[in-house]
Amino acid sequence: MGSGTEPARWGSPHSAAAGSGGVWSRRRFVGALGAGTAAAALSGCGGGSRDPGPRGSAQGVAPDGTPASPPASKAPSGRHPLYLGTYTSAEGGGKGIGVAAYDPASGRITGRGTITGVQDPSYLAVHPDGRTLYAVEERERGAVTAVRVSDRAVLGSRATGGSHPCHLSVHPGGRWLLSADYGSGSVAVHPIAASGALGERTDRVVHSRPAPGPGQEGPHAHQFLTAPDGGHVLAVDLGTDTVYTYRLDERSGTLTEVARAHARPGAGPRHLTFHPKGRYAYLANEVDDTVAVCAYEPATGRLTIGASQSTGAKADTNYPAQFAVTPDGAYAYLANRGDNTLARYAVEADGARLRLLGTVPAEGDFPRQIALSPDGGLLFAANQRSGTVSVFRVDGTSGDLRLAGEPFASPVAVCALPL
């Protein structure tokens, strides 16, 4: 959709079609779509003040006070942990971070409870040592939260300083958490203590330039990640049609901008995924329904966005969400929301070229996010509107995707994190 006005846009917390002040109220989606599709609704804005310091100690305890099931880290032999993000303030949404386990051979998912005490945990990431889970709290007063994996203890939350954070990642060194605030178009850095808990924010940058793209009323930071070289961090902003490159000072946790890459006006870049070799990356453009191959220079952090390519979608309205690239760099997959498909690409020329091979049904409605298992043998698709997680076996030779059993029910599934 080229106009940027999305009357039923689920990929981000707000559309550019704005309500008061240019920000769309997500609760309006629920009433507009009716009860039958309420599970697809995004969370409403949080109200009241938030204590930015450590908060809560919900250690896997359900709202009624009963203990939750054992931690996923103690899943039965042969099963691997899986964490699921949702919107707790959406009608039909979840109660917190879903905890499950999956069989890497069959792909079968088994539910193992919920981590409560975290509001609207729409995106998840894990520390490199595997001991701490991090979640955004996608609300008007944005926050990021740390959870100890071993006993599901909530270690506390810290304010991002912005609104509606929708993405976070851990710097490879394990000392810094990076987050992106969609509502305010800002990115933030928080220190990570030895315990995994978060400290007070060390930096925040608002994307004030360039001017918002066509149909956008302001910046909308959608992703904040570290390049494979580890020397630069990149912020993808849908509202300004720009990918910003920063150098992160690993002693102070401060950011210095070093480069900008401009997508074509109205593209609405959403998520960037690097090829394993680190010289190329693949950009999903949400608003104009395209993708692009990007060249990356590790020495300077400069990204160059290539020509627009097809998402393979046949639907009149489609919003590509993100790429996943196999560990060997041979294939890339794209989640298509609206078309409800997963596109498969052959990666050629050492990562410099994508060749569309075709699409398969996502086996769910509105695949918001996809992720590969660490070994690349399974692909998980979090289907927001249908409230399901589909699992596909990945053929290591052809890259073909084959559905592995029935999709797993998960309320307003917006993120699947397999470990």
Side-chain angles (χ1 to χ4, degrees):
M1 184 172 182
S3 68
T5 55
E6 304 164 32
R9 178 159 112 71
W10 298 97
S12 301
H14 304 293
S15 86
S20 174
V23 178
W24 183 267
S25 170
R26 291 175 295 175
R27 289 201 186 279
R28 289 174 61 186
F29 282 125
V30 182
L33 294 177
T37 55
L42 299 179
S43 67
C45 299
S49 62
R50 174 180 297 279
D51 178 1
R55 183 211 68 189
S57 59
Q59 301 182 25
V61 178
D64 61 2
T66 59
S69 54
S73 58
K74 297 180 180 179
S77 177
R79 292 189 174 274
H80 294 197
L82 174 69
Y83 295 97
L84 303 168
T86 185
Y87 286 100
T88 59
S89 58
E91 183 179 346
K95 303 299 183 183
I97 300 171
V99 183
Y102 69 94
D103 184 330
S106 68
R108 183 173 182 269
I109 298 174
T110 303
R112 295 184 61 80
T114 302
I115 299 171
T116 58
V118 186
Q119 302 299 311
D120 294 322
S122 66
Y123 204 89
L124 310 172
V126 69
H127 193 279
D129 66 14
R131 295 186 297 179
T132 311
L133 181 70
Y134 299 97
V136 298
E137 294 200 8
E138 192 175 333
R139 301 170 77 82
E140 182 64 34
R141 295 177 180 270
V144 285
T145 298
V147 178
R148 189 164 56 220
V149 169
S150 62
D151 60 359
R152 301 185 184 177
V154 177
L155 301 178
S157 298
R158 298 285 181 175
T160 62
S163 64
H164 296 99
C166 62
H167 183 270
L168 82 173
S169 62
V170 182
H171 188 269
R175 294 182 56 211
W176 304 103
L177 185 74
L178 313 173
S179 59
D181 291 301
Y182 182 89
S184 53
S186 53
V187 293
V189 181
H190 287 81
I192 299 175
S195 65
L198 298 170
E200 292 286 359
R201 186 176 66 249
T202 55
D203 205 356
R204 176 174 178 258
V205 177
V206 179
H207 297 153
S208 58
R209 292 190 177 89
Q216 302 288 349
E217 86 291 349
H220 293 304
H222 219 309
Q223 184 189 30
F224 200 18
L225 76 163
T226 305
D229 61 87
H232 299 93
V233 293
L234 291 84
V236 181
D237 196 295
L238 181 149
T240 62
D241 294 320
T242 301
V243 180
Y244 302 82
T245 300
Y246 299 95
R247 187 173 295 280
L248 172 68
D249 186 317
E250 294 189 49
R251 292 176 298 177
S252 65
T254 55
L255 300 168
T256 302
E257 185 180 326
V258 297
R260 294 181 189 179
H262 301 289
R264 71 179 188 179
R270 175 185 173 92
H271 267 252
L272 187 75
T273 304
F274 276 90
H275 186 270
K277 291 187 177 180
R279 298 304 299 267
Y280 296 96
Y282 312 112
L283 186 64
N285 293 317
E286 174 176 333
V287 178
D288 74 355
D289 187 21
T290 64
V291 299
V293 177
C294 306
Y296 176 72
E297 300 174 9
T300 63
R302 185 171 298 279
L303 191 78
T304 302
I305 301 174
S308 297
Q309 296 183 220
S310 173
T311 63
K314 301 296 191 294
D316 291 338
T317 302
N318 182 64
Y319 307 114
Q322 73 174 95
F323 276 101
V325 182
T326 55
D328 63 3
Y331 295 96
Y333 304 96
L334 176 73
N336 282 318
R337 298 164 300 161
D339 197 54
N340 291 343
T341 56
L342 304 176
R344 177 171 59 104
Y345 296 84
V347 180
E348 300 174 337
D350 256 359
R353 192 165 60 236
L354 289 179
R355 179 166 55 90
L356 180 63
L357 299 175
T359 64
V360 298
E363 302 297 342
D365 192 356
F366 231 68
R368 162 76 172 259
Q369 178 261 358
I370 57 175
L372 289 161
S373 58
D375 65 0
L378 297 172
L379 184 145
F380 297 77
N383 303 304
Q384 183 172 353
R385 288 184 177 176
S386 57
T388 57
V389 177
S390 305
V391 186
F392 297 82
R393 293 190 185 90
V394 180
D395 187 299
T397 301
S398 66
D400 284 343
L401 299 177
R402 294 180 180 274
L403 185 67
E406 289 296 315
F408 177 77
S410 181
V412 189
V414 293
C415 184
L417 178 62
L419 303 182

